[in-house]
Amino acid sequence: MIVLRPTAAGQPRVLWLRPNRALDKRGLRRLILGLAAIALATAAFGAWQGNVFAPVFALVEAFVVGFALGAAWRAGDRGERIAVGPDTLEVRAVPGRRVSRFQTYWVRVGLVQGNGRQRLLLKSHGNELEIGAFLGEEERAEASKKLMVLLSETLGQTRR
């Protein structure tokens, strides 16, 4: 998901890159509760048939599946904040502390084939940084175009 945030005059333009999520937190809770209810109902039927350990295994399975789905959902919190100012382009990994800065005038945006997929790279002075690795192919191409437009607009404003 690519979001261009409106900013006040004089502030850097901000582009957010985030992975798409199929569920919100409420939907995730409903899914986990639904799966746990089905597992426990099946286990209750198994216990009625004589398998007394079925409810125990169903509880363990419900906790493990809930934990795994929650961990996968939390991985969707990652993203990148790209701030394009008149002098500096800053890429901040969220969550985390990784911050990369490039001079706005010298940075180049490019899509490069590699590892069986296109990679969106920022290059400047021999340094390169891959951004949007969690995006789909079409979204990386769209992010590349939006970032090039932001850079050209920013550079056009500073030259006046």
Side-chain angles (χ1 to χ4, degrees), residues 70-85:
W73 189 83
R74 281 187 301 278
D77 283 342
R78 70 185 188 279
E80 293 169 340
R81 178 187 180 269
I82 303 169
V84 181

Side-chain angles (χ1 to χ4, degrees), residues 86-148:
D87 299 325
T88 307
L89 182 143
E90 179 182 278
V91 179
R92 181 178 300 272
V94 177
R97 296 187 175 134
R98 186 193 75 180
V99 177
S100 301
R101 290 182 180 86
F102 297 93
Q103 291 178 353
T104 304
Y105 186 77
W106 295 104
V107 70
R108 297 294 171 250
V109 180
L111 286 170
V112 178
Q113 265 318 98
N115 298 333
R117 63 180 180 89
Q118 281 187 330
R119 299 172 59 208
L120 178 56
L121 296 176
L122 297 176
K123 298 178 186 181
S124 177
H125 294 92
N127 296 326
E128 60 179 42
L129 174 69
E130 181 177 4
I131 59 173
F134 46 80
L135 298 174
E137 296 285 330
E138 298 84 20
E139 287 178 313
R140 275 194 288 276
E142 182 184 344
S144 169
K145 290 175 187 171
K146 284 188 178 184
L147 199 50
M148 285 191 269

Side-chain angles (χ1 to χ4, degrees), residues 32 61-74:
I32 291 171
E61 179 213 9
F63 282 116
V64 169
V65 168
F67 179 77
L69 286 173
W73 189 83
R74 281 187 301 278

Side-chain angles (χ1 to χ4, degrees), residues 1-21:
M1 179 169 49
I2 304 165
V3 179
L4 181 60
R5 298 280 184 197
T7 57
Q11 296 294 320
R13 304 281 307 265
V14 177
L15 185 70
W16 281 92
L17 304 179
R18 295 191 156 288
N20 290 324
R21 280 191 171 160

